[in-house]
Amino acid sequence: MIQSVAFKNRANKLAANLHLPKGFDENKKYPALVGIHPAGGVKEQTIGLYAEKLAQQGYVVLVYDSSYQGASEGEPRLLEDPVVRVEDARCAADFLTTLPYVDCERMGVYGVCAGGGYAWSVAQTERRFKAVATVSGTPMGEAVRNQFGVAMPASELIKSLEFVAYQRTAEANGTVPMYVPFVPEKFEEINEQTPVMLREGYDYYRTSRGQHPNSKGRFLFTSLDKMTTFSVFDYLGDFLTQPLLIIAGSNADTKFWSEQAYEIAKCKKELFIVDGATHIALYDIPEYVNQAVQKMADFFKIL
């Protein structure tokens, strides 16, 4: 059972879906989860698939389009602001506490891809989340500074920031906004050097496999001045004290982020590797998703 709901992050109204368990009884109290979608994604894609399956396991699950994206409000459109993304998750927790059938002492958070990175981040300071699970977790700031395991020199990042400054000035004076794709927009852009995540990202986001009209698969270029110095890992070891489940595919070219998060974290933790899965395969391929969901459902029983 899915209900369309909405909640606010400051002035912006966020569009959300509330997934309710089978046999839902509004007079009972349920454990609840907040799901955070990948960068460029929306609530109807992989994060919603996980929500549907987790709800079948007895959880109330809230997924939403982040501020500035999807069906949610916010200008400029397609802004990817990590601080706002983290606040979105806090506001989702606020909303859950207003529901009489949610047990406010039994709330958790999960995320896929960049949503996993934001889940690692928000849990460090949002103590209402009592447990954290991630799938193909990718920390956005670290990913900007270290692209698929290759560290970007500060000099190159500064060049990008200088371009951002130029673009902001241009847009302030009437130039149309510039957008950058998260994944290739055309099949012809893919070659032998294209990382597997981006090749499969094209297949997921640009074809009928996972395409959604609200998912543009792009971000506002001037988001980079917010993403470049954002860090998920700096305080992870000190402040993420809740139980942590990290799920990654054995063949994912982003698996090293999950391994790094696991090494840094000092809490009760588990790194679960799904044999044969790539980063994107964990978005929707049943044989891999079902393994991840069952692991998450069992993990969140601690709530």
Side-chain angles (χ1 to χ4, degrees):
M1 191 162 69
I2 303 174
Q3 293 181 356
S4 294
V5 296
F7 60 91
K8 280 196 169 184
N9 180 351
R10 298 183 173 90
N12 292 331
K13 181 186 289 186
L14 274 59
N17 284 340
L18 190 65
H19 293 252
L20 300 174
K22 184 178 180 180
F24 171 73
D25 182 348
E26 63 181 11
N27 295 310
K28 292 183 178 180
K29 290 282 191 178
Y30 294 88
L33 306 174
V34 169
I36 310 175
H37 66 70
V42 291
K43 62 187 179 300
E44 291 84 4
Q45 294 173 321
T46 180
I47 201 70
L49 175 63
Y50 276 83
E52 178 183 349
K53 291 180 176 293
L54 287 166
Q56 291 171 1
Q57 299 282 341
Y59 299 93
V60 169
V61 189
L62 179 67
V63 293
Y64 56 90
D65 293 341
S66 63
S67 296
Y68 311 106
Q69 301 176 30
S72 291
E73 294 179 346
E75 296 289 342
R77 299 307 296 167
L78 303 185
L79 176 67
E80 183 73 21
D81 184 336
V83 173
V84 176
R85 286 274 249 142
V86 168
E87 186 64 17
D88 286 343
R90 294 184 194 282
C91 295
D94 291 342
F95 175 76
L96 285 176
T97 67
T98 69
L99 303 177
Y101 46 82
V102 166
D103 186 338
C104 299
E105 297 302 316
R106 301 169 67 200
M107 296 198 302
V109 63
Y110 75 97
V112 178
C113 188
Y118 294 130
W120 289 331
S121 182
V122 71
Q124 294 177 44
T125 52
E126 180 49 80
R127 312 311 296 184
R128 290 175 296 182
F129 291 135
K130 307 300 185 184
V132 188
T134 62
V135 177
S136 298
T138 304
M140 288 303 288
E142 284 82 355
V144 168
R145 299 188 297 273
N146 188 315
Q147 297 179 8
F148 293 101
V150 178
M152 299 296 292
S155 58
E156 291 301 312
L157 294 171
I158 289 171
K159 287 179 183 178
S160 295
L161 291 171
E162 288 173 344
F163 191 8
V164 168
Y166 170 85
Q167 182 64 23
R168 286 183 66 107
T169 297
E171 290 179 19
N173 286 274
T175 297
V176 297
M178 177 185 294
Y179 294 96
V180 179
F182 280 114
V183 298
E185 297 195 305
K186 298 179 181 179
F187 180 78
E188 291 74 20
E189 298 172 5
I190 299 172
N191 55 46
E192 293 180 356
Q193 284 71 47
T194 304
V196 173
M197 175 189 170
L198 297 184
R199 290 186 216 171
E200 295 186 348
Y202 165 83
D203 189 49
Y204 183 81
Y205 285 107
R206 308 295 188 195
T207 74
S208 58
R209 173 180 169 186
Q211 192 174 47
H212 189 278
N214 288 341
S215 172
K216 305 303 181 184
R218 294 179 287 165
F219 68 97
L220 188 69
F221 173 70
T222 53
S223 303
L224 280 173
D225 62 7
K226 299 161 188 63
M227 296 161 65
T228 299
T229 57
F230 180 77
S231 178
V232 171
F233 288 162
D234 279 357
Y235 297 102
L236 184 72
D238 295 323
F239 289 100
L240 203 167
T241 59
Q242 304 95 315
L244 173 64
L245 171 64
I246 301 173
I247 300 173
S250 64
N251 295 334
D253 42 15
T254 56
K255 179 164 68 79
F256 69 95
W257 290 126
S258 292
E259 293 170 337
Q260 188 170 348
Y262 180 79
E263 288 302 317
I264 295 171
K266 299 174 185 176
C267 56
K268 182 179 179 180
K269 58 188 178 179
E270 180 179 358
L271 175 61
F272 180 69
I273 302 299
V274 181
D275 189 45
T278 59
H279 180 104
I280 299 291
L282 278 164
Y283 281 31
D284 66 337
I285 302 299
E287 66 176 292
Y288 303 128
V289 170
N290 289 341
Q291 291 181 60
V293 167
Q294 190 57 58
K295 190 71 179 179
M296 292 169 68
D298 291 342
F299 166 74
F300 281 124
K301 288 178 181 177
I302 64 176
L303 293 174

PDB file of all heavy atoms in Angstrom, residues 3 18 20 24-31 60 99-103:
ATOM      1  N   GLN A   3       0.971   5.518  -0.122  1.00  0.00           N
ATOM      2  CA  GLN A   3       0.269   6.782   0.001  1.00  0.00           C
ATOM      3  C   GLN A   3       1.170   7.908  -0.483  1.00  0.00           C
ATOM      4  O   GLN A   3       2.357   7.941  -0.153  1.00  0.00           O
ATOM      5  CB  GLN A   3      -0.125   7.049   1.460  1.00  0.00           C
ATOM      6  CG  GLN A   3      -1.155   6.110   2.011  1.00  0.00           C
ATOM      7  CD  GLN A   3      -1.522   6.445   3.453  1.00  0.00           C
ATOM      8  OE1 GLN A   3      -0.948   7.338   4.060  1.00  0.00           O
ATOM      9  NE2 GLN A   3      -2.489   5.727   4.002  1.00  0.00           N
ATOM     10  N   LEU A  18       4.757   7.050   0.884  1.00  0.00           N
ATOM     11  CA  LEU A  18       4.795   6.312   2.140  1.00  0.00           C
ATOM     12  C   LEU A  18       4.346   4.883   1.852  1.00  0.00           C
ATOM     13  O   LEU A  18       3.200   4.649   1.444  1.00  0.00           O
ATOM     14  CB  LEU A  18       3.865   6.976   3.155  1.00  0.00           C
ATOM     15  CG  LEU A  18       3.958   6.491   4.599  1.00  0.00           C
ATOM     16  CD1 LEU A  18       5.316   6.821   5.203  1.00  0.00           C
ATOM     17  CD2 LEU A  18       2.847   7.110   5.430  1.00  0.00           C
ATOM     18  N   LEU A  20       3.379   1.290   3.134  1.00  0.00           N
ATOM     19  CA  LEU A  20       2.830   0.709   4.357  1.00  0.00           C
ATOM     20  C   LEU A  20       2.816  -0.821   4.265  1.00  0.00           C
ATOM     21  O   LEU A  20       2.626  -1.388   3.187  1.00  0.00           O
ATOM     22  CB  LEU A  20       1.421   1.225   4.595  1.00  0.00           C
ATOM     23  CG  LEU A  20       1.305   2.752   4.747  1.00  0.00           C
ATOM     24  CD1 LEU A  20      -0.156   3.157   4.826  1.00  0.00           C
ATOM     25  CD2 LEU A  20       2.076   3.234   5.968  1.00  0.00           C
ATOM     26  N   PHE A  24      -1.702  -3.522   7.103  1.00  0.00           N
ATOM     27  CA  PHE A  24      -1.449  -2.345   7.933  1.00  0.00           C
ATOM     28  C   PHE A  24      -2.629  -2.031   8.844  1.00  0.00           C
ATOM     29  O   PHE A  24      -3.792  -2.041   8.429  1.00  0.00           O
ATOM     30  CB  PHE A  24      -1.162  -1.146   7.026  1.00  0.00           C
ATOM     31  CG  PHE A  24      -1.086   0.168   7.746  1.00  0.00           C
ATOM     32  CD1 PHE A  24       0.000   0.466   8.545  1.00  0.00           C
ATOM     33  CD2 PHE A  24      -2.116   1.099   7.637  1.00  0.00           C
ATOM     34  CE1 PHE A  24       0.074   1.677   9.213  1.00  0.00           C
ATOM     35  CE2 PHE A  24      -2.047   2.310   8.297  1.00  0.00           C
ATOM     36  CZ  PHE A  24      -0.946   2.599   9.094  1.00  0.00           C
ATOM     37  N   ASP A  25      -2.318  -1.764  10.106  1.00  0.00           N
ATOM     38  CA  ASP A  25      -3.322  -1.412  11.107  1.00  0.00           C
ATOM     39  C   ASP A  25      -2.891  -0.105  11.755  1.00  0.00           C
ATOM     40  O   ASP A  25      -1.885  -0.057  12.463  1.00  0.00           O
ATOM     41  CB  ASP A  25      -3.422  -2.526  12.153  1.00  0.00           C
ATOM     42  CG  ASP A  25      -4.491  -2.253  13.215  1.00  0.00           C
ATOM     43  OD1 ASP A  25      -5.002  -1.114  13.286  1.00  0.00           O
ATOM     44  OD2 ASP A  25      -4.788  -3.181  13.984  1.00  0.00           O
ATOM     45  N   GLU A  26      -3.634   0.963  11.517  1.00  0.00           N
ATOM     46  CA  GLU A  26      -3.236   2.278  12.012  1.00  0.00           C
ATOM     47  C   GLU A  26      -3.257   2.373  13.536  1.00  0.00           C
ATOM     48  O   GLU A  26      -2.739   3.339  14.115  1.00  0.00           O
ATOM     49  CB  GLU A  26      -4.125   3.366  11.423  1.00  0.00           C
ATOM     50  CG  GLU A  26      -5.582   3.272  11.804  1.00  0.00           C
ATOM     51  CD  GLU A  26      -6.429   4.364  11.173  1.00  0.00           C
ATOM     52  OE1 GLU A  26      -5.919   5.068  10.278  1.00  0.00           O
ATOM     53  OE2 GLU A  26      -7.596   4.508  11.573  1.00  0.00           O
ATOM     54  N   ASN A  27      -3.788   1.372  14.185  1.00  0.00           N
ATOM     55  CA  ASN A  27      -3.814   1.364  15.643  1.00  0.00           C
ATOM     56  C   ASN A  27      -2.578   0.694  16.252  1.00  0.00           C
ATOM     57  O   ASN A  27      -2.418   0.677  17.472  1.00  0.00           O
ATOM     58  CB  ASN A  27      -5.077   0.660  16.152  1.00  0.00           C
ATOM     59  CG  ASN A  27      -6.338   1.412  15.771  1.00  0.00           C
ATOM     60  OD1 ASN A  27      -6.441   2.613  15.988  1.00  0.00           O
ATOM     61  ND2 ASN A  27      -7.295   0.712  15.178  1.00  0.00           N
ATOM     62  N   LYS A  28      -1.724   0.161  15.392  1.00  0.00           N
ATOM     63  CA  LYS A  28      -0.489  -0.465  15.857  1.00  0.00           C
ATOM     64  C   LYS A  28       0.677   0.523  15.733  1.00  0.00           C
ATOM     65  O   LYS A  28       0.555   1.574  15.105  1.00  0.00           O
ATOM     66  CB  LYS A  28      -0.188  -1.728  15.043  1.00  0.00           C
ATOM     67  CG  LYS A  28      -1.157  -2.872  15.276  1.00  0.00           C
ATOM     68  CD  LYS A  28      -0.725  -4.108  14.479  1.00  0.00           C
ATOM     69  CE  LYS A  28      -1.638  -5.283  14.736  1.00  0.00           C
ATOM     70  NZ  LYS A  28      -1.222  -6.487  13.955  1.00  0.00           N
ATOM     71  N   LYS A  29       1.821   0.149  16.318  1.00  0.00           N
ATOM     72  CA  LYS A  29       3.046   0.925  16.191  1.00  0.00           C
ATOM     73  C   LYS A  29       4.048   0.124  15.364  1.00  0.00           C
ATOM     74  O   LYS A  29       4.276  -1.060  15.629  1.00  0.00           O
ATOM     75  CB  LYS A  29       3.647   1.220  17.575  1.00  0.00           C
ATOM     76  CG  LYS A  29       2.850   2.208  18.417  1.00  0.00           C
ATOM     77  CD  LYS A  29       3.112   3.642  17.958  1.00  0.00           C
ATOM     78  CE  LYS A  29       2.544   4.639  18.951  1.00  0.00           C
ATOM     79  NZ  LYS A  29       2.813   6.041  18.571  1.00  0.00           N
ATOM     80  N   TYR A  30       4.651   0.784  14.362  1.00  0.00           N
ATOM     81  CA  TYR A  30       5.563   0.102  13.451  1.00  0.00           C
ATOM     82  C   TYR A  30       6.953   0.738  13.478  1.00  0.00           C
ATOM     83  O   TYR A  30       7.077   1.964  13.658  1.00  0.00           O
ATOM     84  CB  TYR A  30       5.042   0.188  12.016  1.00  0.00           C
ATOM     85  CG  TYR A  30       3.760  -0.563  11.761  1.00  0.00           C
ATOM     86  CD1 TYR A  30       2.521   0.042  11.969  1.00  0.00           C
ATOM     87  CD2 TYR A  30       3.783  -1.885  11.315  1.00  0.00           C
ATOM     88  CE1 TYR A  30       1.340  -0.637  11.721  1.00  0.00           C
ATOM     89  CE2 TYR A  30       2.600  -2.576  11.063  1.00  0.00           C
ATOM     90  CZ  TYR A  30       1.383  -1.946  11.271  1.00  0.00           C
ATOM     91  OH  TYR A  30       0.210  -2.622  11.029  1.00  0.00           O
ATOM     92  N   PRO A  31       7.989  -0.056  13.240  1.00  0.00           N
ATOM     93  CA  PRO A  31       9.304   0.534  12.986  1.00  0.00           C
ATOM     94  C   PRO A  31       9.266   1.224  11.626  1.00  0.00           C
ATOM     95  O   PRO A  31       8.513   0.808  10.724  1.00  0.00           O
ATOM     96  CB  PRO A  31      10.235  -0.678  12.972  1.00  0.00           C
ATOM     97  CG  PRO A  31       9.360  -1.825  12.570  1.00  0.00           C
ATOM     98  CD  PRO A  31       8.009  -1.528  13.157  1.00  0.00           C
ATOM     99  N   VAL A  60       7.235   0.546   7.965  1.00  0.00           N
ATOM    100  CA  VAL A  60       6.722   1.741   7.307  1.00  0.00           C
ATOM    101  C   VAL A  60       7.933   2.426   6.678  1.00  0.00           C
ATOM    102  O   VAL A  60       8.928   2.675   7.364  1.00  0.00           O
ATOM    103  CB  VAL A  60       6.040   2.686   8.321  1.00  0.00           C
ATOM    104  CG1 VAL A  60       5.749   4.039   7.677  1.00  0.00           C
ATOM    105  CG2 VAL A  60       4.766   2.057   8.848  1.00  0.00           C
ATOM    106  N   LEU A  99       3.337  10.755  12.617  1.00  0.00           N
ATOM    107  CA  LEU A  99       2.405   9.686  12.277  1.00  0.00           C
ATOM    108  C   LEU A  99       2.151   8.834  13.510  1.00  0.00           C
ATOM    109  O   LEU A  99       3.087   8.270  14.088  1.00  0.00           O
ATOM    110  CB  LEU A  99       2.968   8.832  11.140  1.00  0.00           C
ATOM    111  CG  LEU A  99       3.325   9.600   9.853  1.00  0.00           C
ATOM    112  CD1 LEU A  99       3.938   8.652   8.819  1.00  0.00           C
ATOM    113  CD2 LEU A  99       2.109  10.311   9.276  1.00  0.00           C
ATOM    114  N   PRO A 100       0.914   8.704  13.931  1.00  0.00           N
ATOM    115  CA  PRO A 100       0.612   8.010  15.190  1.00  0.00           C
ATOM    116  C   PRO A 100       0.980   6.535  15.196  1.00  0.00           C
ATOM    117  O   PRO A 100       1.155   5.946  16.261  1.00  0.00           O
ATOM    118  CB  PRO A 100      -0.895   8.216  15.353  1.00  0.00           C
ATOM    119  CG  PRO A 100      -1.407   8.472  13.965  1.00  0.00           C
ATOM    120  CD  PRO A 100      -0.309   9.228  13.281  1.00  0.00           C
ATOM    121  N   TYR A 101       1.105   5.931  14.022  1.00  0.00           N
ATOM    122  CA  TYR A 101       1.409   4.510  13.946  1.00  0.00           C
ATOM    123  C   TYR A 101       2.906   4.233  13.797  1.00  0.00           C
ATOM    124  O   TYR A 101       3.321   3.081  13.644  1.00  0.00           O
ATOM    125  CB  TYR A 101       0.643   3.858  12.787  1.00  0.00           C
ATOM    126  CG  TYR A 101       0.698   4.638  11.490  1.00  0.00           C
ATOM    127  CD1 TYR A 101       1.788   4.539  10.635  1.00  0.00           C
ATOM    128  CD2 TYR A 101      -0.352   5.481  11.138  1.00  0.00           C
ATOM    129  CE1 TYR A 101       1.835   5.258   9.449  1.00  0.00           C
ATOM    130  CE2 TYR A 101      -0.316   6.203   9.956  1.00  0.00           C
ATOM    131  CZ  TYR A 101       0.788   6.091   9.119  1.00  0.00           C
ATOM    132  OH  TYR A 101       0.826   6.817   7.945  1.00  0.00           O
ATOM    133  N   VAL A 102       3.739   5.267  13.853  1.00  0.00           N
ATOM    134  CA  VAL A 102       5.194   5.093  13.800  1.00  0.00           C
ATOM    135  C   VAL A 102       5.755   5.120  15.213  1.00  0.00           C
ATOM    136  O   VAL A 102       5.454   6.025  16.000  1.00  0.00           O
ATOM    137  CB  VAL A 102       5.850   6.185  12.941  1.00  0.00           C
ATOM    138  CG1 VAL A 102       7.368   6.217  13.174  1.00  0.00           C
ATOM    139  CG2 VAL A 102       5.566   5.947  11.462  1.00  0.00           C
ATOM    140  N   ASP A 103       6.575   4.126  15.527  1.00  0.00           N
ATOM    141  CA  ASP A 103       7.287   4.102  16.799  1.00  0.00           C
ATOM    142  C   ASP A 103       8.540   4.964  16.641  1.00  0.00           C
ATOM    143  O   ASP A 103       9.501   4.563  15.976  1.00  0.00           O
ATOM    144  CB  ASP A 103       7.663   2.663  17.162  1.00  0.00           C
ATOM    145  CG  ASP A 103       8.282   2.545  18.549  1.00  0.00           C
ATOM    146  OD1 ASP A 103       8.798   3.557  19.052  1.00  0.00           O
ATOM    147  OD2 ASP A 103       8.272   1.442  19.109  1.00  0.00           O
TER     148      ASP A 103
END
